[in-house]
Amino acid sequence: MTEPKTQGPAVSTRAAKKQARDGKGNATIYDIAKVAGVNPSTVSRALSKPGRVSAKTQKLIEDAAAELNYRVNPFARALPTGRTNTMGLIVADITNPTFFDIIRGAETTGTARDYTLVLAESAESAETELTAARRMLTTADGLILASPRMDDDDIRALAADKPVVVINREVEGVPCVIPDVRKGIGEAVRSLAANGHKKLAFVAGPARSWMSARRWEGVQAACEWSHVDAVRVESTKPTVDGGRQVARDVLATKATAVLTYNDLLAIGLMQELQAGGMVVPDQISIVGFDDIFGADFTTPPLTTVRSPLGECGSGAATVLLDVLHGGKEPTAPLRVETELVLRGSSGRLLPPS
Amino acid sequence: MTEPKTQGPAVSTRAAKKQARDGKGNATIYDIAKVAGVNPSTVSRALSKPGRVSAKTQKLIEDAAAELNYRVNPFARALPTGRTNTMGLIVADITNPTFFDIIRGAETTGTARDYTLVLAESAESAETELTAARRMLTTADGLILASPRMDDDDIRALAADKPVVVINREVEGVPCVIPDVRKGIGEAVRSLAANGHKKLAFVAGPARSWMSARRWEGVQAACEWSHVDAVRVESTKPTVDGGRQVARDVLATKATAVLTYNDLLAIGLMQELQAGGMVVPDQISIVGFDDIFGADFTTPPLTTVRSPLGECGSGAATVLLDVLHGGKEPTAPLRVETELVLRGSSGRLLPPS
DNA sequence: TTGTAGGCGTTATCAC
DNA sequence: GTGATAACGCCTACAA
C-alpha cells in the first residue's frame, strides 16, 4: 500500500493476511492451548462458560487468547450446538417507514445482547415471506415476524421449529407483541366527536392485515360509544399512492373526518384532497396511524394514532432472546399502548361559507 | 409430545420435531447417500457442483434429496469453505431514511443472487462502526459500508481481510460507489442563479463525512461558474433538529438561497424559518440533498438534488458479489448520476414589500 | 479441575 | 466418475 506500484491492492494483501500465523488462518483454541500449556477442551470451557475452570488457568488462557487475537469461529461453534447468536427479522416492505423503527428497535436490543440481526423483506407476499422465513430459520436462532402476511398455521409451523415472535398480529400459541389500539383510537374519535364530527370514514388496509381488522373494530367501537357514524372504505394498497387513489371514494361517503389504516394513506389522501382544493382540517379532518417518520412534515402536520414501533421491535427482540436463553414463552401477548398525537390535520369543521 | 396434554405449545412441539427422522435432526448427505446407494462424497459433489457426476447418479441423488427434504447445513458448509452466502451492511443510522433505499437495494440484489443481508448500525460512531464491521467480517463473506465514518486505513484493513465495498465515499484501493454530485449541484445552482439569487449558503454535514466535503466543493465550483457567492455554515448534526438549530446562522449570512448537506437539514431549516414567519421560496429558497422519503411531504415540497440511493445499494451489492464470485475488483469507483428534482421550495426571490 | 476422544455436516484430496 | 478419508474448529460426555 505504501509502495509506489499499487496494482491490485486489496486482493493481494488479503491473500497475504490469510497466510499469517504459520500459514494457517485465524488462531484456534488449539493454538491457545499450546501457548497456555493446557488442553484444548480446557480452553473451550474457559472461553464459553467461565467458572468451570480454576482462576489461574482461566487467566492463563485469557491472556493467551488476547495475545493471539483469538476470536471464535461462529460456524465451528454452530455446528455442534446449532446456535448462531443471530436473529432473523422479516418485514413486508423495507422502504415502508413503519418498519424502520421496528428494525432499529430489534437491532439495538439485539446488539446489546450480542445478537446479530439478519434482515429480509417479503415484498408484501405471503409466499415470499414463508420462503424467507424458512431460509432464515436454518441459520438464525429465532425469528421476528413484523406484520406477517402468511397464514396462522404457517407461522405456527415455523414456531414449532424455532422460537418465533410476531409483531402487529395475534397468533394463538405464538408469542406476540401488539399495540393495543383501543386507547389511541378512543382518544382520536372522542377528539373528532368533540369537534362536531358526526360521520367518520375508515380507510382500511390490506385484506390480509390482521392489524387493519383490529383498527376497524376499534373505530367501530369508539364511534358507537361517541355516537358517530362509521363507514369503511377499501384501499388498493397501504401507500401514499393508495391514499391518493382512495380520495374519491372517501369524498363519496360524505364523511367529515377520516381515519386511515396508516400514515402513508393519510398523507396521500391529504395531498389529493388538497390538490382538489379542499382545506384540511377546515373542510375535512384527517387522522393517520403509526406516527411514522415524516408524519409531521406535512402541512398541516398529521394528527395520528401513534404506535410505539421501536418499542415493538425491541420488545419482540427481548421476548425472543429471553426464550432463547431458556426463558418460558410468554403465554399472553405483550401489549404496548397507543396514543393520539394531536397535530394540525384534525380539528373543528368550518361551516361552508 | 403428541399426547393430549399440550401445555407449553410451541416449546414441546419443537422438541418433538427435532426427534424426527430416527432421532436425528435434519437429513444429511449421509442419509441421501444411503437412499441413493452412493458415497456421501458423491452426494456432496452432485449437490454443490452439478456436472462432476454422471447424469444417472445425479438424478438418483436429487430424487433422494427431495424425498428426504434435504437442506444443506450452512454451518457445516461454512466450516471448511469459510463461505456463508451472507453479506454485511453497516449504516450510520438505521432510522435515517437516506439509508432505507440503500438497504433495500442491497437486500434485493443480494436475495436475487441467493445472499442474505446482515444489518448493523454504527450510531454515527467511528468506533462502533469498526467494531461492528470486524464482527460482521467473521461471519459474512463481504461487507458494504454506507457512508462510513471510520478512517481510510481502518477501511483498508478490513478490505485486506475480505471484500469490502464503500458507498458515498472514495477510499483508495477499495471498490466504491459514489454519486457524482457535479451534475445535480450544477443544475441546482444554475436554477437558483437563473432565479436571481446572488448569494447562496451551504449547510455542511458532519465533519467526518467525505460526502459533505464533496458537496461543498461542488457547490463552490458551481457557484463560481454561475457567479454566485457561496458561504459555508456548519451544522451540529445532519438531522431535522440540526436543521432547525442552524436556521439562525443561515439567516445571519444574508443568503437568499440555501443548499443543505441533506434533506433532513433542509426540512428542519424550512420548518424553523417558516415558524419564524418567513415565506419559502418567496423570501428564501431551500434545496436539499438526496430526495429521501418524505421530501415531498412538506409545503412547499422540497426541491432537492437526488442521489440514486437504491442504485447505490444494489450497485454496491453487485460489485461485492461479483468480486466474491471471482471477479476482479473494479479499479475505478462506480459513479452514479445525481439530478435536480425541482419542486416548490426553490424559486424566484420576491422583492420585499 | 483437567485431559481424552468422538462427533457435528460438509468439502477437498487423494486413490481407484 | 466414484469411493475412502482427512480436515474444518469447536463442544461435550466421560474418564482420570
Side-chain angles (χ1 to χ4, degrees), chain B residues 62-78:
Chain B
E62 280 173 357
D63 289 349
E67 181 193 342
L68 292 175
N69 188 19
Y70 167 83
R71 278 173 307 180
V72 289
N73 179 327
F75 315 122
R77 194 209 287 276

Side-chain angles (χ1 to χ4, degrees), chain B residues 263 291-292 294-296 300-304 306 341-347:
Chain B
D263 288 339
D291 192 25
I292 60 169
D296 55 343
L302 190 66
T303 293
T304 186
R306 169 186 294 155
V341 178
L342 200 55
R343 290 197 272 245
S345 69
S346 69

